[in-house]
């Protein structure tokens, strides 16, 4: 077995001829936050590559977004339909959908490993162990409080040791945006810190690895909050379980005959609401039984509360200076997106599920099952 593993790795190193790819995701960095004023060094670097906007899935949440980037699939297919959801098989709640067991489709790092590409993954959602028996060459599971410098050092070592694909999660501005707001001094300070740390590191890493392709992306943007909407009050007397994501929510009804009554109340309160089977096709949710019986969307700047006690309300309010989980059509939900090493010029809007297929095309990665997304034409023309 050891000899077979050795020759497998040797063969992988011999056939891997394409330049390496580095995929960095900075949590919560929106397209509107990335400007020549807020991040001048990275902005100048982006002028040497391609700059666009990432279109997140709905709801635009952290675990949903990162799973979409990793699998190239829509939420209804990859299964992580939000940060939290109800498992229809057990009836229990998945409170934090961060495990590889939550994935219903193959992540890029598994497809790459099977295809002979040495792959390293740092802190990415779902990178907690093997998927169907396949694990990347190197990975570190998420640990709270670790500095971004650790992730960059991980990427540096992996590339030096011959990795063909490196995927790294960075903290971004998610925490600052939630606690203080997306345009707060705290968020502006974090953007500057990222600019000062990341820009020179990228220049150095590109110099060390000629031909390296780099994608800077994020899972979602962030909007400033102005008003709280209390769903338990609106749905009083209708037995249900609520999962709120910020600007949207799932309603799991205990009695499906109450759907019309619940929808009428939600719409009267000024919210947009659908049965799961009637959500817009562009949201790519209807095929998953993990989605609530009802899907609720608030106007931008309004967040949905499920608090049923003063303690829960206090916990919810902390971290609601900013929120996300709105439609990808909402400008504040769009993410920053920069691609280096794949040509120069305007990139435009790119769905996050198109990133993994693009990387796969660069590295000749074969999927067990084709993803929903497609390689971005202007980028694969620069292989």
């Amino acid at each position: 077995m050891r000899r077979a593993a050795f020759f497998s790795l040797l063969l992988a190193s011999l056939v891997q001829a394409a330049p390496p790819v580095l995929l960095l995701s900075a949590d919560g960095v929106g397209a509107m936050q990335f400007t020549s004023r807020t991040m001048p060094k990275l902005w100048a670097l982006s002028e040497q590559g391609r700059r666009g906007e990432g279109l997140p899935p709905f709801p635009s949440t952290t675990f949903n977004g990162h799973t979409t980037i990793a699998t190239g699939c829509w939420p209804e297919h990859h299964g992580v339909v939000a940060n939290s959801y109800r498992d229809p098989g057990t009836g229990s709640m998945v409170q934090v959908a961060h495990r590889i067991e939550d994935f219903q489709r193959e992540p890029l790092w598994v497809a790459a490993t099977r295809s002979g590409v040495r792959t390293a993954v740092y802190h990415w959602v779902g990178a907690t162990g093997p998927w169907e028996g396949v694990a990347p060459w190197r990975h570190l599971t998420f640990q709270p409080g670790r500095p971004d410098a650790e992730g960059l050092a991980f990427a540096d070592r992996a590339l030096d040791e011959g990795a063909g694909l490196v995927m790294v999660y960075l903290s971004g501005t998610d925490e600052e945006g939630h606690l203080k707001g997306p345009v707060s001094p705290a968020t502006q300070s974090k953007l500057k810190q990222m600019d000062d740390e990341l820009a020179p590191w990228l220049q150095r890493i590109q110099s060390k690895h000629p031909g390296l392709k780099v994608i800077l992306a994020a899972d979602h943007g962030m909007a400033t909050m102005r008003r709280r909407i209390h769903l338990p009050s609106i749905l009083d007397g209708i037995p249900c379980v609520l999962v709120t994501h910020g600007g949207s929510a799932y309603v799991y009804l205990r009695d499906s005959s109450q759907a019309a009554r619940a929808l009428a109340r939600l719409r009267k309160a000024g919210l947009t609401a659908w049965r799961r089977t009637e959500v817009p096709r562009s949201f790519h949710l209807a095929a998953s039984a993990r989605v609530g019986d009802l899907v609720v969307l608030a106007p931008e700047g309004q967040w949905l509360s499920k608090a049923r006690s003063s303690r829960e309300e206090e916990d919810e309010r902390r971290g609601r200076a900013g929120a996300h989980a709105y439609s990808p059509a909402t400008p504040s939900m769009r993410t920053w997106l920069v691609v280096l090493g794949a040509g120069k010029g305007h990139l435009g809007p790119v769905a996050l599920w198109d990133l993994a297929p693009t990387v796969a095309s660069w590295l000749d990665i074969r999927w067990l099952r084709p993803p929903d997304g497609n390689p971005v034409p202007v980028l694969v023309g620069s292989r």
Side-chain angles (χ1 to χ4, degrees):
M1 290 294 290
R2 289 182 179 177
R3 175 176 289 185
F6 169 77
F7 282 113
S8 177
L9 287 173
L10 179 61
L11 178 62
S13 66
L14 291 174
V15 301
Q16 184 179 302
V21 176
L22 172 62
L23 175 55
L24 302 175
S25 176
D27 200 334
V29 176
M32 297 173 68
Q33 294 176 309
F34 180 45
T35 70
S36 59
R37 179 182 59 82
T38 59
M39 306 178 88
K41 297 172 186 175
L42 286 168
W43 186 269
L45 196 59
S46 74
E47 298 278 85
Q48 305 305 311
R50 298 187 184 276
R51 185 173 61 244
E53 294 183 348
L55 304 180
F58 177 79
S60 43
T61 63
T62 295
F63 298 155
N64 185 6
H66 279 103
T67 307
T68 295
I69 295 173
T71 62
C73 291
W74 303 324
E76 63 184 344
H77 291 158
H78 65 58
V80 179
V81 296
N83 287 354
S84 305
Y85 54 83
R86 187 172 69 181
D87 184 339
T90 63
S92 61
M93 296 301 301
V94 176
Q95 298 293 348
V96 184
H98 70 287
R99 307 168 306 157
I100 191 64
E101 291 83 2
D102 299 317
F103 282 28
Q104 294 180 322
R105 293 289 285 270
E106 177 186 33
L108 179 61
W109 60 79
V110 168
T113 301
R114 282 191 307 94
S115 300
V117 178
R118 180 175 288 190
T119 303
V121 188
Y122 178 88
H123 280 206
W124 205 279
V125 170
T128 57
W131 189 85
E132 296 194 357
V134 179
W137 163 65
R138 180 175 293 166
H139 83 275
L140 283 179
T141 302
F142 180 80
Q143 299 175 31
R146 307 307 300 175
D148 286 347
E150 185 179 279
L152 299 182
F154 173 94
D156 207 340
R157 288 192 303 272
L159 288 168
D160 282 348
E161 294 172 14
L165 171 63
V166 181
M167 299 172 63
V168 173
Y169 166 91
L170 302 174
S171 61
T173 57
D174 186 70
E175 181 176 359
E176 292 79 8
H178 277 302
L179 293 175
K180 301 296 183 179
V183 296
S184 65
T187 299
Q188 300 302 305
S189 177
K190 184 61 181 293
L191 290 170
K192 183 180 185 304
Q193 178 185 330
M194 287 179 58
D195 196 47
D196 290 341
E197 181 177 39
L198 192 53
W201 183 86
L202 283 170
Q203 289 175 312
R204 181 173 62 81
I205 214 76
Q206 285 184 292
S207 177
K208 284 175 65 177
H209 303 281
L212 174 71
K213 290 182 173 65
V214 180
I215 297 177
L216 305 177
D219 46 354
H220 58 75
M222 189 80 67
T224 300
M225 293 298 99
R226 300 183 299 274
R227 180 183 173 220
R228 167 180 176 260
I229 300 174
H230 191 235
L231 290 181
S233 297
I234 296 172
L235 298 175
D236 185 40
I238 299 177
C240 61
V241 174
L242 299 172
V243 175
T244 55
H245 324 304
S248 57
Y250 292 153
V251 181
Y252 297 91
L253 296 167
R254 300 192 188 280
D255 180 357
S256 60
S257 69
Q258 295 288 320
R261 184 181 172 207
L263 286 169
R265 289 195 190 179
L266 291 164
R267 291 165 179 167
K268 185 177 180 181
L271 301 169
T272 303
W274 308 269
R275 299 175 192 266
R276 183 181 73 234
T277 55
E278 297 171 350
V279 296
R281 290 184 63 186
S282 62
F283 287 174
H284 302 294
L285 290 175
S288 176
R290 292 179 172 182
V291 175
D293 301 297
L294 308 179
V295 177
V296 187
L297 175 62
E300 184 183 10
Q302 302 182 20
W303 60 277
L304 302 174
S305 167
K306 64 175 182 179
R308 297 183 184 272
S309 69
S310 57
R311 176 62 181 273
E312 289 181 357
E313 182 176 339
E314 181 182 344
D315 289 343
E316 272 192 344
R317 285 187 182 277
R318 182 182 182 276
R320 280 292 177 262
H324 42 93
Y326 298 95
S327 161
T330 309
S332 61
M333 293 300 100
R334 297 188 174 193
T335 79
W336 76 328
L337 181 62
V338 176
V339 181
L340 305 174
K344 183 177 178 180
H346 181 63
L347 185 56
V350 175
L352 293 186
W353 50 76
D354 287 338
L355 295 183
T358 298
V359 174
S361 179
W362 285 338
L363 296 174
D364 293 321
I365 291 169
R366 301 175 300 279
W367 300 91
L368 284 175
R369 182 177 179 183
D372 297 312
N374 296 290
V376 180
V378 72
L379 295 179
V380 297
S382 303
R383 291 178 62 181

